[in-house]
Amino acid sequence: MSADAYYLGLDVGSAASKAVIVDDAGEIRAKAVYPAGAGTPGPETVVRQVLDEVGIERDGLVASCATGYGRHLFDWTDYEMSELSCHAKGAVRLFPGVRTVIDIGGQDAKVLSIGEDGKLQSFVMNDKCAAGTGRFLEVMAQVFGCDVSDLSEFDRQSTQVASISSTCTVFAESEVISKLASGTPIPDIAAGVDSSVVERTYGLVKRLGVVPKVAMTGGVALNGALRERLAERIGQPIMTSEISQFNGALGAALYALEKHARA
Ligand code: ADP
C-alpha cells in the first residue's frame, strides 16, 4: 500500500466535534476539534480541516468511520462504531498496557475496563445527569465568567476547597452563585467544582474497581487540576495525553483502517 492512504475517524460529540486522519501505518496525520457537536456545523468543519491538512477531498479517503453521540447523522461514512468500542481502541493505542479508562465528555462520563488482551471487558456510564460531566464544568465556568479551560488554573490557586454540597447541576449552580455573593474566592469555589466532578467520577470508578494502568480521556482530561485530584482520590497515577480529547476519533480512524484491511 502507498504511504498516502488516508482513513478518517469522526467523533460527533455532544459538546465538541473531533476528526482524525491516520495513514495505513495507523499514524496520526491530521486532527481537528471544534467546540460544538451534533447538529452544528462542527462535524463538517473538522472534516474539512483534516482533509485540507493532508491535501485531499472526501473521495480521496480510503475509508471512514463515525462515532459519538451524533454519529447517526452522517450517512456518508463507510462505518459507524459505538463510542465505547472507539474509546477502548483509541486508549489502547495512546496508552499501551492501559486497563482502566476514565472518559469524561460533554454529556456523559464512562469508565472502561480493558482486558490484558486490549479488548473492552466491561464499562459503567453516567449519561442521565449533567453532574460529573463537562457540561457541569461549563455551567460553572459561565458563572465565574471564564472559559472552561481556565478552571484548572483557578483550582490550582485555591487555598481552601469550598465544597459544593448539591449533587444536581441546577442547585449546584445556585450554590456557586451564593458562595460568590458571600465573598468566597473563585479559586476555592473552582476547587470545589472540580472536587464535585471527582467525587462523581470516583463513584463510577469504584463500581468497576481500579485496575492499573489508569488513563483519562475526553475533553475534561484537559483540566490538569481535576485530573490530579482524581488520581489522588483513586490512589493511582493517571496517564493522559495532550490529544486525549481525540481518543474516540482516533479509535474510529483505526477501526476504519482495520475494517478496510479485513474487507
Ligand atoms: P463530547 O465528546 O461529549 O462532545 P468531549 O470529550 O469533547 O465531549 O469533552 C467536552 C468537554 O471537555 C467540555 O464540556 C468541557 O468541559 C471540556 N473541555 C474542553 N476543552 C477543554 C479545555 N481546554 N480545558 C478543560 N476542559 C475542556
Side-chain angles (χ1 to χ4, degrees):
M1 263 192 208
S2 82
D4 54 2
Y6 294 126
Y7 303 82
L8 171 78
L10 173 62
D11 181 359
V12 187
S14 63
S17 308
K18 285 80 60 179
V20 164
I21 284 181
V22 299
D23 59 23
D24 51 13
E27 296 301 325
I28 297 178
R29 300 291 289 268
K31 59 181 175 10
V33 59
Y34 186 91
T40 76
E44 298 295 351
T45 307
V46 290
V47 169
R48 186 71 262 156
Q49 280 177 9
V50 289
L51 291 176
D52 286 350
E53 204 174 322
V54 296
I56 58 168
E57 288 301 320
R58 216 161 73 191
D59 59 7
L61 291 166
V62 179
S64 56
C65 178
T67 188
Y69 176 73
R71 65 182 178 277
H72 308 299
L73 300 171
F74 292 84
D75 53 3
W76 55 263
T77 56
D78 300 305
Y79 308 103
E80 243 182 51
M81 286 299 291
S82 81
E83 282 171 87
L84 290 166
S85 306
C86 290
H87 276 283
K89 188 165 253 342
V92 167
R93 164 61 66 97
L94 285 181
F95 312 105
V98 69
R99 301 293 303 279
T100 304
V101 181
I102 301 169
D103 178 84
I104 312 184
Q107 194 165 271
D108 64 22
K110 37 192 179 284
V111 182
L112 280 55
S113 167
I114 310 285
E116 271 176 39
D117 57 0
K119 299 247 162 34
L120 177 65
Q121 272 182 334
S122 54
F123 70 95
V124 287
M125 191 160 179
N126 159 31
D127 59 357
K128 299 278 180 284
C129 165
T133 70
R135 180 75 195 130
F136 180 87
L137 296 168
E138 284 180 28
V139 168
M140 302 313 161
Q142 256 169 29
V143 176
F144 297 141
C146 71
D147 192 83
V148 73
S149 58
D150 298 324
L151 282 181
S152 176
E153 199 42 50
F154 275 130
D155 180 343
R156 290 208 161 106
Q157 290 163 15
S158 130
T159 51
Q160 192 178 4
V161 178
S163 61
I164 310 291
S165 58
S166 309
T167 47
C168 161
T169 305
V170 178
F171 291 141
E173 185 183 11
S174 307
E175 201 179 331
V176 166
I177 291 169
S178 94
K179 281 189 195 302
L180 279 175
S182 64
T184 310
I186 288 182
D188 292 349
I189 310 175
V193 164
D194 280 353
S195 301
S196 161
V197 172
V198 164
E199 273 319 300
R200 281 272 174 164
T201 311
Y202 180 62
L204 273 185
V205 176
K206 254 194 332 200
R207 282 162 54 191
L208 274 190
V210 185
V211 180
K213 302 171 175 176
V214 181
M216 187 171 175
T217 61
V220 174
L222 295 169
N223 181 329
L226 187 153
R227 222 173 47 228
E228 285 154 25
R229 288 186 185 280
L230 184 59
E232 199 178 318
R233 188 71 175 92
I234 66 174
Q236 286 290 334
I238 296 181
M239 301 182 281
T240 193
S241 151
E242 59 185 14
I243 60 164
S244 67
Q245 196 176 6
F246 293 94
N247 187 50
L250 171 63
L254 294 173
Y255 265 116
L257 167 63
E258 201 178 285
K259 281 178 173 283
H260 181 78
R262 270 204 238 115

